[in-house]
Amino acid sequence: MGAFIEFTFAHCMPPMMMSPEDIGRCAKAIGPEHCVLSTDFGQAFNPPATEGFHMMLSNLFRFGKISEEDLSMMVKDNPVKILGLA
C-alpha cells in the first residue's frame, strides 16, 4: 500500500545491539524498494551522523549482505520518493 520501513543504525549501538545481519534479513524480506536507512545519530554518545552513516553502509554491505544497488535505493531513491521529488 506504499508504506516504507525505516531502519536506523542507532539500533545497532548499545544498549539495543540489533545486528547488521538482522537489518539485512529484514530489508530483504520486506524488499529494499520499501525500506529507508538512516542513522538516527546526533547524540553526544554516538559517532557524528556522517561517520555513523558510513559505518552503517559498510556494515550492511559487509555483514548484512545488502548490495550496493539496494543500499543506493534505500538511501537515495526511496527518500526522494517519500519527499515527492521523483
Side-chain angles (χ1 to χ4, degrees):
M1 295 178 60
F4 285 87
I5 303 298
E6 178 183 21
F7 293 99
T8 67
F9 198 56
H11 286 104
C12 293
M13 307 301 280
M16 293 177 248
M17 301 302 293
M18 184 176 189
S19 73
E21 292 91 347
D22 291 337
I23 293 175
R25 275 192 300 276
C26 291
K28 288 175 188 173
I30 294 165
E33 64 276 8
H34 299 289
C35 298
V36 176
L37 302 175
S38 68
T39 64
D40 203 22
F41 284 1
Q43 307 82 8
F45 52 84
N46 277 326
T50 52
E51 183 179 329
F53 203 65
H54 181 265
M55 288 170 46
M56 177 180 73
L57 296 179
S58 62
N59 276 279
L60 290 175
F61 180 73
R62 183 174 176 196
F63 301 111
K65 308 294 187 216
I66 298 178
S67 70
E68 287 184 40
E69 180 180 89
D70 288 346
L71 287 172
S72 180
M73 179 187 307
M74 292 187 282
V75 300
K76 293 191 270 185
D77 302 334
N78 293 346
V80 166
K81 289 177 190 174
I82 291 170
L83 293 172
L85 302 174

